[in-house]
Amino acid sequence: MTLVRAVDISAWQGDPGGEWWKTLHDKHGITVAVLQRYGSGPLGTGFNPYFETHLTDAMFAGMDIFVYYAPPVGVLQDQPGAFNSGVVWLDAEAGWAVRENHVDWAKRFGLPGIYTSFSAWHDAMYASEEFSGMPLWDAYYMENRRAWTGWWPADLTGGLKYGGWNTPGNLRVGWQFAGDVTVEGVNCDLSVFSKEWIDSIMVTPEQVDAKIRAALDGYNRDHFDDDHQHLAAFRDAYKLLRRPISPEEYDRMVRGNAAELRQYRRVGSRFI
């Protein structure tokens, strides 16, 4: 099994700056960012006010993007904060129980997964195995609340059995092994994910090309009335791809003028 390295932060970290994300990618080989969209923060529970900044900086550092939500009570509704992502992790812990309606909601924006730990799952879900068919991002800390030592796990084995996971046929796909550790001056959490699992849920380049062409079919840039219609093409492709689309990628698919699209680079990640 091959593992990829990941970092996750929330509203509590504020804005660590674009150079921090780039250093994590270039120096530490971290290629996945798991970003809080809804959960706890300095202002209480709600949407992360730094999400767009985190998203932009992580994406331009070259990272793949996952998101996580702490499910609010009741049915989640469509909101401007809803974000299409490869994986939508639902945070299960005391006070935030996962329900089937949360899962149904998350399916509209990505592949639903469960983020929890042995103790948090028992506190929130009373040992239920109802969601054992969903991928597990498992929090089990080997390093916690200190300066990070630089250690990374070599595999995903050794997790505690709970919820129907961490059995021979149903291993966790992600392991959050370090919580609230200091990396390059910022407190964050570190994880590893199965590369094979990530590859299995990602579309191929050929599928990407086909989806972009399908999403942009019918758009004629010569007949756009204004920039809003122009950007609508990006949004439609983005909804199908479940990830940001760069101006270069857009241009490659429609054989347009790259120079004309380059101005959208700075907002290309904000289609949420």
Side-chain angles (χ1 to χ4, degrees):
M1 176 184 291
T2 305
L3 301 181
V4 298
R5 299 173 176 181
V7 62
D8 68 274
I9 66 172
S10 68
W12 290 101
Q13 281 74 39
D15 176 14
E19 283 303 311
W20 181 76
W21 292 98
K22 182 172 175 53
T23 299
L24 263 58
H25 181 276
D26 296 348
K27 180 179 177 180
H28 298 290
I30 295 174
T31 58
V32 173
V34 191
L35 307 178
Q36 180 201 54
R37 189 64 191 101
Y38 187 99
S40 66
L43 301 179
T45 299
F47 284 101
N48 176 6
Y50 299 98
F51 174 76
E52 290 190 17
T53 301
H54 293 166
L55 173 64
T56 301
D57 290 344
M59 187 184 76
F60 284 109
M63 296 185 186
D64 292 328
I65 307 298
F66 295 160
V67 297
Y68 72 94
Y69 287 78
V73 175
V75 180
L76 288 164
Q77 303 294 323
D78 285 334
Q79 306 184 45
F83 176 78
N84 289 347
S85 170
V87 182
V88 178
W89 298 104
L90 298 173
D91 186 356
E93 53 187 279
W96 289 332
V98 175
R99 301 299 183 220
E100 193 62 42
N101 55 351
H102 299 143
V103 175
D104 290 341
W105 175 86
K107 286 178 180 177
R108 295 153 61 188
F109 305 104
L111 173 69
I114 298 293
Y115 165 64
T116 191
S117 68
F118 177 86
S119 59
W121 186 254
H122 283 265
D123 288 342
M125 303 297 294
Y126 306 102
S128 169
E129 296 188 2
E130 177 183 0
F131 299 102
S132 62
M134 294 171 58
L136 172 67
W137 174 26
D138 187 17
Y140 182 77
Y141 297 148
M142 307 300 290
E143 300 194 23
N144 192 25
R145 300 185 183 278
R146 63 183 181 186
W148 177 50
T149 64
W151 178 79
W152 292 96
D155 56 53
L156 293 173
T157 62
L160 298 174
K161 296 179 181 180
Y162 65 95
W165 296 293
N166 289 331
T167 62
N170 196 19
L171 194 66
R172 58 192 175 185
V173 301
W175 177 10
Q176 188 185 70
F177 67 92
D180 198 20
V181 293
T182 302
V183 183
E184 300 294 336
V186 176
N187 286 356
C188 58
D189 303 328
L190 298 176
S191 299
V192 289
F193 287 91
S194 162
K195 182 179 184 300
E196 288 79 5
W197 174 75
I198 290 177
D199 290 344
S200 75
I201 65 171
M202 294 298 181
V203 296
T204 66
E206 292 76 20
Q207 289 172 319
V208 169
D209 290 354
K211 287 190 175 186
I212 293 176
R213 289 192 182 97
L216 299 180
D217 185 37
Y219 285 104
N220 185 331
R221 296 192 312 163
D222 294 333
H223 296 90
F224 284 177
D225 294 330
D226 54 37
D227 284 349
H228 291 293
Q229 290 189 26
H230 197 167
L231 291 177
F234 284 90
R235 292 191 184 96
D236 278 13
Y238 178 65
K239 289 176 183 177
L240 285 180
L241 290 173
R242 302 191 185 284
R243 63 168 175 78
I245 172 175
S246 70
E248 290 77 13
E249 191 171 14
Y250 174 93
D251 179 70
R252 187 166 62 250
M253 293 302 100
V254 297
R255 301 290 187 261
N257 183 342
E260 178 187 353
L261 297 173
R262 209 164 278 133
Q263 61 180 305
Y264 295 110
R265 175 189 294 275
R266 64 185 177 83
V267 297
S269 65
R270 296 180 181 273
F271 303 149
I272 58 176

